[in-house]
Amino acid sequence: MTTLPRRHLLLAAALAPLAARAQDGAARGGRVVASFSILADLVRQVAPADIEVTALVGVDADAHAWEPRPGDVRRLAGADLVVVNGLGFEGWMTRLVKNSGYRGTIVVASEGVVARRPAHAEHEDHDHDHGDVDPHAWQDLAQVRRYVRNIAAALARRWPARQAEIAQRAGVYLERLDTLDLRLRRLVDSVPQAQRRVISSHDAFGYLGAAYGIEFLAPQGWTTHSEPSAAAVGRLVRQIRQQQVKALFVENISDPRLVERIARETGARVGGTLYSDALSAPGGPAASFLALYDYNVRTLVAGMSGR
């Protein structure tokens, strides 16, 4: 048997980790980095299973107040594709991309969405520091259909040989969105219109409210960055009393103390936790986007009905 020279053995040992990483990358099929957990789940539903999808802002985390870490720079640098929400949601993304040196495509999942804009009174009451549009478009399932199509098109452009698989997965997910929407509309219709008023921690559910005929009120605007003014909270308390709003909800990403204080001052009941800008941890009630949406609407209906 021929014995390899020592220098060849040393070279083979040095190259082995590189070869293993190359094989590992090929097995994964690629890397997609999404800005936050909800968006990562949407990408994961459409992308082939061997494409690795990760989120910069993880579960139960507030993307409004998030600060990038050194590891996130490395993750972006190694990405094949980056997906963001857009509509001013990720104010920290431009600098992060620049620092990472990423030169690939940045997919804006909300492209083509007709964004909500504030009424004049809302602009006075809340600090809408995302600008003049509400970035939470994923709270309307009709808009999520647009997200899915945009994501599928971007994935197919990046991996054209897998276009048919991507289209098939997107089609299945769109059908699941339609089925969920139909069921939840029936559920909301069981609540009299006069009872469809809700208080949430920040103004993240306007798209859902417009889609299902629910009026959402919030002490904070479209972002959790700033504290609401005493005057804004006072007006909200008076409105709750006048309209006899009974359903108050905290959010998984927000400090519950303000909503709990409003509940004490008005006599309204805190009806549970809503998942606004982030999924729950695995095993929780909102570990995927479909689970999040289903859980939120069922929780809202229970609160509005006084159950």
CSV table of all heavy atoms in Angstrom, one decimal, residues 3-14:
chain,number,residue,atom,x,y,z
A,3,THR,N,2.0,4.9,0.9
A,3,THR,CA,1.9,5.8,2.0
A,3,THR,C,2.1,7.3,1.5
A,3,THR,O,3.1,7.5,0.8
A,3,THR,CB,2.8,5.6,3.1
A,3,THR,OG1,2.7,4.2,3.5
A,3,THR,CG2,2.6,6.5,4.3
A,4,LEU,N,1.1,8.2,1.8
A,4,LEU,CA,1.2,9.5,1.3
A,4,LEU,C,2.3,10.2,2.1
A,4,LEU,O,2.5,10.0,3.3
A,4,LEU,CB,-0.1,10.3,1.5
A,4,LEU,CG,-1.2,9.9,0.6
A,4,LEU,CD1,-2.5,10.6,1.0
A,4,LEU,CD2,-0.9,10.3,-0.9
A,5,PRO,N,3.1,11.1,1.5
A,5,PRO,CA,4.1,11.9,2.2
A,5,PRO,C,3.4,12.8,3.3
A,5,PRO,O,2.2,13.1,3.2
A,5,PRO,CB,4.7,12.8,1.1
A,5,PRO,CG,4.4,12.2,-0.2
A,5,PRO,CD,3.1,11.4,0.0
A,6,ARG,N,4.2,13.0,4.3
A,6,ARG,CA,3.7,13.8,5.5
A,6,ARG,C,3.1,15.1,5.1
A,6,ARG,O,2.0,15.5,5.6
A,6,ARG,CB,4.8,14.0,6.5
A,6,ARG,CG,4.4,14.8,7.7
A,6,ARG,CD,5.5,14.9,8.7
A,6,ARG,NE,5.2,15.8,9.8
A,6,ARG,CZ,4.3,15.6,10.8
A,6,ARG,NH1,3.7,14.5,10.9
A,6,ARG,NH2,4.1,16.6,11.7
A,7,ARG,N,3.7,15.8,4.1
A,7,ARG,CA,3.2,17.1,3.7
A,7,ARG,C,1.9,17.0,3.1
A,7,ARG,O,1.0,17.9,3.2
A,7,ARG,CB,4.2,17.8,2.8
A,7,ARG,CG,4.4,17.2,1.5
A,7,ARG,CD,5.4,18.0,0.6
A,7,ARG,NE,5.5,17.5,-0.7
A,7,ARG,CZ,6.4,16.5,-1.0
A,7,ARG,NH1,7.1,16.0,0.0
A,7,ARG,NH2,6.5,16.1,-2.3
A,8,HIS,N,1.6,15.9,2.4
A,8,HIS,CA,0.3,15.7,1.8
A,8,HIS,C,-0.8,15.4,2.8
A,8,HIS,O,-1.9,15.9,2.7
A,8,HIS,CB,0.3,14.6,0.8
A,8,HIS,CG,1.1,14.9,-0.5
A,8,HIS,ND1,1.4,14.0,-1.4
A,8,HIS,CD2,1.7,16.0,-0.9
A,8,HIS,CE1,2.1,14.5,-2.4
A,8,HIS,NE2,2.3,15.8,-2.1
A,9,LEU,N,-0.4,14.7,3.8
A,9,LEU,CA,-1.3,14.4,4.9
A,9,LEU,C,-1.7,15.7,5.7
A,9,LEU,O,-2.8,15.9,6.0
A,9,LEU,CB,-0.7,13.4,5.9
A,9,LEU,CG,-0.5,12.0,5.4
A,9,LEU,CD1,0.2,11.1,6.4
A,9,LEU,CD2,-1.9,11.3,5.1
A,10,LEU,N,-0.7,16.5,5.9
A,10,LEU,CA,-0.9,17.8,6.6
A,10,LEU,C,-1.8,18.7,5.8
A,10,LEU,O,-2.7,19.4,6.3
A,10,LEU,CB,0.4,18.5,6.9
A,10,LEU,CG,1.3,17.8,7.9
A,10,LEU,CD1,2.6,18.6,8.0
A,10,LEU,CD2,0.6,17.8,9.3
A,11,LEU,N,-1.6,18.7,4.4
A,11,LEU,CA,-2.4,19.6,3.6
A,11,LEU,C,-3.9,19.0,3.6
A,11,LEU,O,-4.8,19.8,3.6
A,11,LEU,CB,-1.8,19.5,2.1
A,11,LEU,CG,-2.6,20.3,1.1
A,11,LEU,CD1,-2.7,21.8,1.5
A,11,LEU,CD2,-2.0,20.2,-0.3
A,12,ALA,N,-4.0,17.7,3.5
A,12,ALA,CA,-5.4,17.1,3.5
A,12,ALA,C,-6.1,17.5,4.8
A,12,ALA,O,-7.3,17.8,4.8
A,12,ALA,CB,-5.3,15.6,3.3
A,13,ALA,N,-5.4,17.4,5.9
A,13,ALA,CA,-6.0,17.8,7.2
A,13,ALA,C,-6.4,19.2,7.2
A,13,ALA,O,-7.5,19.6,7.8
A,13,ALA,CB,-5.0,17.4,8.3
A,14,ALA,N,-5.6,20.1,6.7
A,14,ALA,CA,-5.9,21.5,6.7
A,14,ALA,C,-7.1,21.8,5.8
A,14,ALA,O,-7.9,22.7,6.1
A,14,ALA,CB,-4.7,22.3,6.2
